[in-house]
Amino acid sequence: MNTPLVSVYMPTHNRLNNLKRAVQSIREQSYVHWELIIVNDGSTDGTINYLNELALTDPRIMVFHHTTPLGACAARNKAINMATGEFITGLDDDDVFTCNRLSYFVDNWSDAYTSLCTPVTVCRNNSKVEHNFFIGELTLNDILVLNKVGNQLFCKTRDLKDIGGFDIEFKAWQDYDTWIRFFKRYGTGLKLPQSTYLQYEEQSNKSITRSPNRLTGFKQFLNKHSLLMNNKQINAMKCWEAIIRGNWVSLGLLISSHKDIYKYSLLHNIKKLLGR
């Protein structure tokens, strides 16, 4: 049987209960040839003791501690640099893998593609909604309007290391930036149809989309990658900026933009019309 070692990187910061749930989802994987690398980014909630005890009970789990928080991207990069698996993927400390996620990736790996990803299932309160969009091949051109990958990619460990992992300077859109750089260097990936990632989102009256960090990250992203984009993709980015700022997306701008932004812009305008 082909059983390559799969590395899973996980940054964590002051989310002890969620962290335990995330770790348990790794330990319950049907595919057992994995290593989990957890980087505690300056937690003060008991995470240190939990992780140190965890590492003693399972030799597949490696633990590192940042004395002071350096940010999620720095924590991810620490874990990526320590990874020894042939393949690598990530898990956020407040999310969960389905028990077949790693086996699904390994069983469907083909050297015809540079990477694999799957849809996510978004969990809010008692609802679970599968976001099964953009299934099939993904090229650099496909993801220059919106992040069709999501927040995790399954790929060769050496490839993620070679692009330098995540950009620690980014305030937001870090995942998106990483996938753009990855696809630019290595080429076409594949999005499989089955959702194997549960993404937990807390209900909040404060819009994350309109946070100052979101706008700063967007500007960093555009400055870094705009030269890769055609006019319709650039106009789609202008639609994103309007959405992030909480402004109307004008019909004229929408008409001149890439079609992949239509749904997001129209939903934004409807919510704005309803006062949300």
Side-chain angles (χ1 to χ4, degrees), residues 1 10 15 21 43 48 84 88 124 135 144 150 171 181 185 199 210 216 224 226 232 235-236 248 251 269:
M1 294 181 64
M10 184 190 300
R15 284 175 171 165
R21 179 182 64 189
S43 296
I48 293 176
T84 63
I88 194 167
R124 294 189 185 94
I135 305 302
L144 281 174
K171 300 300 183 183
R181 290 185 286 113
R185 178 174 295 190
Q199 181 175 305
R210 298 177 194 175
T216 301
K224 194 170 182 178
S226 61
K232 287 192 173 183
N235 286 334
W248 292 98
L251 180 60
N269 280 351

Side-chain angles (χ1 to χ4, degrees), residues 238-250:
K238 293 178 181 178
C239 293
W240 277 124
E241 183 172 5
I243 292 170
I244 293 169
R245 290 182 180 276
N247 298 333
W248 292 98
V249 179
S250 71

Side-chain angles (χ1 to χ4, degrees), residues 13-28:
H13 176 73
N14 285 343
R15 284 175 171 165
L16 182 55
N17 289 333
N18 289 339
L19 172 63
K20 292 178 179 179
R21 179 182 64 189
V23 169
Q24 189 62 24
S25 77
I26 301 295
R27 301 183 82 178
E28 292 176 351

Side-chain angles (χ1 to χ4, degrees), residues 194-263:
Q194 182 180 339
S195 174
T196 58
Y197 192 98
L198 303 184
Q199 181 175 305
Y200 286 84
E201 295 185 358
E202 295 182 1
Q203 296 282 34
S204 174
N205 292 326
K206 182 179 179 180
S207 174
I208 295 174
T209 302
R210 298 177 194 175
S211 71
N213 280 348
R214 189 74 172 176
L215 182 59
T216 301
F218 166 78
K219 290 180 177 178
Q220 290 174 311
F221 179 89
L222 196 59
N223 288 337
K224 194 170 182 178
H225 301 298
S226 61
L227 291 179
L228 298 173
M229 301 174 187
N230 60 34
N231 287 337
K232 287 192 173 183
Q233 291 164 337
I234 288 290
N235 286 334
M237 287 293 140
K238 293 178 181 178
C239 293
W240 277 124
E241 183 172 5
I243 292 170
I244 293 169
R245 290 182 180 276
N247 298 333
W248 292 98
V249 179
S250 71
L251 180 60
L253 178 60
L254 197 59
I255 290 173
S256 62
S257 298
H258 192 282
K259 60 182 177 59
D260 283 346
I261 199 65
Y262 291 174
K263 178 180 72 172

Side-chain angles (χ1 to χ4, degrees), residues 23-120:
V23 169
Q24 189 62 24
S25 77
I26 301 295
R27 301 183 82 178
E28 292 176 351
Q29 289 296 298
S30 58
Y31 187 85
V32 298
H33 198 201
W34 51 260
E35 64 176 11
L36 173 59
I37 308 152
I38 305 174
V39 178
N40 165 37
D41 193 40
S43 296
T44 57
D45 62 348
T47 292
I48 293 176
N49 291 337
Y50 165 71
L51 290 180
N52 288 342
E53 291 176 8
L54 184 68
L56 292 174
T57 64
D58 195 328
R60 297 174 296 178
I61 298 175
M62 289 186 285
V63 170
F64 300 92
H65 301 286
H66 289 164
T67 305
T68 57
L70 300 177
C73 287
R76 290 186 187 109
N77 289 344
K78 171 68 174 179
I80 291 167
N81 289 333
M82 299 306 299
T84 63
E86 179 180 354
F87 295 100
I88 194 167
T89 191
L91 174 60
D92 290 344
D93 62 356
D94 56 344
D95 295 332
V96 167
F97 282 178
T98 61
C99 63
N100 68 325
R101 181 169 171 85
L102 296 184
S103 62
Y104 189 50
F105 281 140
V106 172
D107 290 345
N108 284 280
W109 181 262
S110 166
D111 287 334
Y113 297 103
T114 65
S115 55
L116 299 174
C117 60
T118 73
V120 302

